Amino acid sequence: MVFTLTSPAFGNGAVMPQAQVYSGMGQTGGNLSPPLQWEGAPAETKSFVVTLYDPDAPTGSGWWHWVVANIPADVTSLVEGAGSGQGGLPEGALEVRTDFGVPGYGGAAPPPGHMHRYVFTVTALDVPLLDVTVDSSPALVGFMVHHHRLASARLTVIYGSGAKTS
């Protein structure tokens, strides 16, 4: 079975809905984490990490919008708003600090005049827990994920000037 990541809120290559866009930094979105579903993870999966990353941010290193670690292996979805303080994160899951400086979901917020890609990734890991805290950086989580990755699935959306929003 192929490891896949989907969302009922949008498809791969679609424009990010306004509900998932950041509220601030010139944006007027709902800043609501989207519902996500995955299937086909390797049988030996012991946990998952979900991330949202903007590789087009003008920083030299992109921008981490959301990092959720230690999602139990029996979980195959996140409900809408789970990363937005509305509840629904699985027991044991942990959101770490993003490039906004705080844990939790931070939606699309590109500078005016620019279209960006927003890459949602779910990664299956061979360990039940990563040794991270809410103050851990996305780079630290990425380092650990790199060493424990079994498989990853991605879903990419776009947002910015010129994109029609829903």
Side-chain angles (χ1 to χ4, degrees):
M1 183 177 234
V2 175
F3 191 25
T4 59
L5 175 63
T6 59
S7 176
F10 47 76
N12 196 48
V15 174
M16 182 179 277
Q18 203 62 31
Q20 278 73 54
V21 173
Y22 193 68
S23 180
M25 296 176 62
Q27 305 298 325
T28 57
N31 204 45
L32 193 61
S33 64
L36 298 171
Q37 304 164 340
W38 54 92
E39 63 181 4
E44 59 272 23
T45 300
K46 294 194 167 85
S47 69
F48 295 101
V49 170
V50 169
T51 61
L52 173 57
Y53 177 69
D54 172 3
D56 302 315
T59 64
S61 61
W63 190 274
W64 292 98
H65 286 259
W66 193 28
V67 180
V68 186
N70 301 338
I71 299 170
D74 62 348
V75 172
T76 58
S77 65
L78 293 177
V79 298
E80 185 173 60
S84 305
Q86 296 187 0
L89 276 179
E91 187 172 337
L94 175 72
E95 294 175 297
V96 305
R97 180 174 41 91
T98 67
D99 286 336
F100 289 107
V102 295
Y105 178 84
H114 298 277
M115 183 74 67
H116 286 219
R117 294 168 291 159
Y118 294 88
V119 183
F120 291 89
T121 304
V122 59
T123 303
L125 304 178
D126 65 0
V127 293
L129 296 172
L130 294 179
D131 186 16
V132 295
T133 69
V134 296
D135 292 322
S136 296
S137 70
L140 176 62
V141 174
F143 176 81
M144 292 178 177
V145 165
H146 175 77
H147 289 287
H148 294 287
R149 178 188 176 278
L150 295 170
S152 294
R154 290 179 180 78
L155 177 61
T156 302
V157 295
I158 59 171
Y159 187 80
S161 297
K164 294 180 181 176
T165 58
S166 47

